[in-house]
Amino acid sequence: MGNQSSSNKKETLPIDTTFKLPANIPVWPQGGGFATGIIDVGGLKACQISTFNKVWTTLEGGPGNAGATFFEPAGIPEGFFTLGHYSQPNNTPLFGWVLVAKDESSSSSGDNGALKKPVDYTLVWSSKSQKIKQDKDGYVWLPTAPDGYKALGHVVTTTPEKPSLDKIRCVRSDLTDQCETNSWIWGPGKSSDDKGFNVHEVRPSNRSIQAPGVLVGTFLAHDGETPSPLPIACLKNTNINFSSLPNLPQIKALVQAYSPFMYLHPDERFQPASTKWYFANGALLFKKGEESKPVPIDPTGSNLPQGGNNDGAYWLDLPADKANRERVKKGDFKSCQAYVHAKPMFGGTFTDLAMWVFYPFNGPGTAKVGLIDNISLGKIGEHVGDWEHVTLRVSNFNGELRKVYLSQHSNGQWVEASQLEFQSGNKSVVYSSLNGHAIYPKAGVVMQGLDEVGIKNETAKSDMVVDMGVGFEIVSGEYLGSQIIEPPWLNYLRQWGPKITYDIAKELEKLEKVFPALKLLEDSLPNELLGEEGPTGPKLKRNWSGDEV
């Protein structure tokens, strides 16, 4: 037998607590199929289950060397069946879900139904001979699907006998889509070993707003290199009619319930502002070849060129006279509005509410070299026009906030709701970094780069706080059609700032003479710190019609 934990007093782990949002989920405005508990994905009805029975726990390995726990869904409605078990690292509170499915196809009772029992199981891995801390031995099984069907997840047991064939259902292949591995859940070691046993989250490979792939919430377990293609699939919504997505009153209610408080750093000199404030306070539109004749911008952006592509023919800039230029650079957080883009994800089973915020100016970067802190990078990092965003990922089964995405320079991070700080009910707290405006879930310093040399991203609470639920504007939601009229500035597809006029190589050279170690940093600087073009607006960002990462 494996090395089982013999202590009678088992240490309490974060996963032993089930996470719940601080306040009850509101009663959403009525209408449509949003938050009704069940979604028709074409041939199948899907239901999201977040109550579980614990099957097996490891007490070491995986993220934070805290082990992981494997669960089977419990409280499944009549007529619905398990598609696979759930697993999560032990170092965070339990906050998971899996989909269960009911056959709604016309041939549900025949040979060609949407769901079928597996014909057998293969043992993927067992902890029996492993010297790991665990509550008992664990066995991870892969269902063998009948011809024309696919497995969507695994079954975990604590005995060497194969599970009952009635334990799980496989799904007809035409109702499935390809998936890929995502974050690491567990392996016997402290880090993922490509040649050993690993458990990963899986997600649909194609995740655009039109993509039909449905996240099932199951995991992939494999011993050795990741197989290609994966032996499990995700669901496919063959009935995408967006009826499960929130309507306009429901989107407004979701934003009011979940929109973040964004704290600016107490020393922040370059605050966010609304586009209306920016345009009304003297921002200018420049045209190539007519640089001496910039044009003031209407407060709604109605005189900005529409459509086309980012061809360098136009760009925006701060006011020309120095006094106004410096004033507008500073922004005005009290005017700040969040601009909301509502978009379907995972075949219409989730809604992403991307909340965009505009800063007239991005300040210079700050570096740290060894013990020397707060080294100003001079002009490096400065640019006019800076778009940042926070995305709320909401389940269309019940309207629950599941994750929040925070933009950070040219990338960002998803944060599970269980790992967020909350204020005033279910509104998360986020922090905008000093000068660079990358957004983080906790106050403090995040370094980018190498251990000894890095760019500093510093965040802290202050009296400058933007409640993104006040004065927000829903600016886009393709699935809502003519119900939303996009503002003209959103369809301005050129740059929101001029080309950078200083020589980055020379700026770096100056700094490296004083701090030679900064030479090591060049390769790890975020793209926009070195970017010579002005930034583009929300519609030209890769996540506008796709997933965040």
Side-chain angles (χ1 to χ4, degrees):
M1 288 185 71
N3 179 20
Q4 294 177 13
S5 179
S6 56
S7 168
N8 293 329
K9 276 185 75 179
K10 180 173 166 275
E11 182 190 348
T12 303
L13 298 162
I15 200 162
D16 295 329
T17 304
T18 300
F19 173 78
K20 285 191 170 57
L21 290 169
N24 291 332
I25 297 176
V27 176
W28 306 112
Q30 292 301 297
F34 175 71
T36 57
I38 291 171
I39 295 176
D40 183 345
V41 293
L44 286 171
K45 279 191 172 164
C47 175
Q48 189 174 288
I49 300 291
S50 54
T51 50
F52 298 102
N53 292 326
K54 193 184 292 188
V55 178
W56 175 56
T57 299
T58 73
L59 299 166
E60 64 180 336
N65 199 31
T69 301
F70 296 77
F71 301 87
E72 61 179 352
I76 298 171
E78 192 173 339
F80 284 78
F81 293 95
T82 298
L83 302 173
H85 284 184
Y86 174 74
S87 179
Q88 187 185 306
N90 289 337
N91 62 352
T92 56
L94 178 60
F95 186 56
W97 57 271
V98 287
L99 296 187
V100 296
K102 182 180 183 182
D103 194 338
E104 289 286 303
S105 63
S106 52
S107 53
S108 58
S109 56
D111 287 342
N112 199 29
L115 298 174
K116 265 193 181 176
K117 295 177 188 180
V119 293
D120 198 4
Y121 290 96
T122 305
L123 181 65
V124 178
W125 184 84
S126 164
S127 68
K128 187 172 173 60
S129 58
Q130 304 287 321
K131 290 183 177 174
I132 57 169
K133 290 182 194 163
Q134 55 183 348
D135 61 350
K136 47 180 94 76
D137 293 331
Y139 299 80
V140 183
W141 306 88
L142 176 67
T144 305
D147 286 347
Y149 288 76
K150 289 188 176 172
L152 270 64
H154 294 271
V155 173
V156 179
T157 65
T158 53
T159 58
E161 293 79 37
K162 287 182 180 180
S164 159
L165 296 177
D166 205 32
K167 193 88 174 162
I168 197 169
R169 291 293 185 271
C170 301
V171 177
R172 204 173 65 220
S173 297
D174 62 307
L175 303 176
T176 69
D177 210 350
Q178 184 181 330
C179 62
E180 65 185 26
T181 58
N182 191 15
S183 52
W184 185 53
I185 296 173
W186 187 75
K190 293 177 187 177
S191 59
S192 175
D193 173 6
D194 292 346
K195 296 185 172 60
F197 176 70
N198 288 291
V199 178
H200 282 96
E201 289 181 3
V202 286
R203 62 184 181 182
S205 301
N206 182 3
R207 297 182 305 284
S208 72
I209 58 177
Q210 300 292 341
V214 173
L215 194 64
V216 181
T218 54
F219 59 85
L220 172 74
H222 60 97
D223 200 5
E225 289 183 8
T226 306
S228 180
L230 299 188
I232 64 172
C234 62
L235 279 174
K236 179 194 282 183
N237 188 347
T238 58
N239 182 43
I240 296 189
N241 57 13
F242 301 130
S243 62
S244 59
L245 269 73
N247 59 28
L248 210 47
Q250 289 163 343
I251 292 170
K252 288 176 182 170
L254 287 163
V255 173
Q256 282 159 350
Y258 298 136
S259 56
F261 289 101
M262 183 174 74
Y263 282 90
L264 307 182
H265 191 279
D267 298 331
E268 183 60 71
R269 290 181 295 138
F270 307 110
Q271 301 171 15
S274 67
T275 54
K276 187 176 182 179
W277 181 93
Y278 186 53
F279 298 153
N281 278 273
L284 296 169
L285 171 68
F286 283 79
K287 185 177 181 182
K288 193 172 183 179
E290 298 178 17
E291 287 86 350
S292 62
K293 296 185 284 185
V295 178
I297 303 164
D298 179 84
T300 63
S302 61
N303 62 331
L304 291 170
Q306 300 289 286
N309 56 46
N310 187 19
D311 53 9
Y314 296 91
W315 62 92
L316 307 188
D317 203 351
L318 297 161
D321 63 291
K322 191 174 179 187
N324 261 338
R325 188 177 181 84
E326 290 306 312
R327 181 179 61 82
V328 173
K329 247 188 196 184
K330 291 174 183 172
D332 175 20
F333 82 93
K334 289 178 180 169
S335 77
C336 180
Q337 280 182 283
Y339 303 109
V340 180
H341 175 210
K343 55 180 187 170
M345 284 304 294
F346 302 130
T349 55
F350 281 79
T351 298
D352 277 6
L353 299 171
M355 304 188 72
W356 293 88
V357 172
F358 178 70
Y359 291 80
F361 194 75
N362 196 85
T366 305
K368 184 172 189 266
V369 176
L371 297 174
I372 307 167
D373 210 348
N374 295 332
I375 301 164
S376 171
L377 292 181
K379 292 181 177 178
I380 295 172
E382 288 190 353
H383 59 80
V384 174
D386 181 24
W387 281 100
E388 303 291 348
H389 71 285
V390 172
T391 298
L392 311 174
R393 177 159 286 173
V394 172
S395 165
N396 290 342
F397 290 94
N398 57 6
E400 184 176 36
L401 177 71
R402 299 298 310 186
K403 287 182 173 183
V404 173
Y405 181 83
L406 309 176
S407 66
Q408 296 160 354
H409 304 299
S410 41
N411 288 300
Q413 72 177 124
W414 279 110
V415 183
E416 295 274 348
S418 65
Q419 302 303 295
L420 290 164
E421 185 184 330
F422 287 93
Q423 184 178 314
S424 302
N426 294 333
K427 291 164 73 69
S428 57
V429 172
V430 300
Y431 298 86
S432 173
S433 69
L434 179 62
N435 291 349
H437 310 142
I439 304 174
Y440 293 94
K442 294 199 166 26
V445 174
V446 175
M447 298 298 294
Q448 270 179 297
L450 311 167
D451 287 344
E452 289 299 306
V453 186
I455 297 288
K456 245 179 113 173
N457 293 282
E458 194 172 352
T459 61
K461 273 195 173 160
S462 75
D463 294 336
M464 294 182 286
V465 57
V466 176
D467 180 347
M468 292 170 81
V470 171
F472 68 88
E473 192 180 328
I474 299 166
V475 295
S476 187
E478 292 84 351
Y479 72 92
L480 291 161
S482 59
Q483 291 179 64
I484 294 177
I485 297 166
E486 295 184 345
W489 60 259
L490 187 60
N491 290 300
Y492 165 72
L493 302 181
R494 271 79 172 197
Q495 278 145 0
W496 282 71
K499 284 189 178 184
I500 292 168
T501 53
Y502 56 85
D503 185 324
I504 285 171
K506 279 185 182 165
E507 291 287 322
L508 280 169
E509 205 176 302
K510 273 191 263 178
L511 287 163
E512 284 160 12
K513 280 178 183 167
V514 186
F515 301 105
L518 282 174
K519 183 77 183 156
L520 300 169
L521 192 57
E522 267 184 71
D523 294 337
S524 59
L525 285 171
N527 283 346
E528 81 261 32
L529 274 186
L530 298 177
E532 294 186 0
E533 302 290 331
T536 51
K539 271 204 175 180
L540 291 183
K541 310 294 188 195
R542 65 173 186 260
N543 64 303
W544 183 264
S545 57
D547 197 0
E548 294 290 351
V549 284

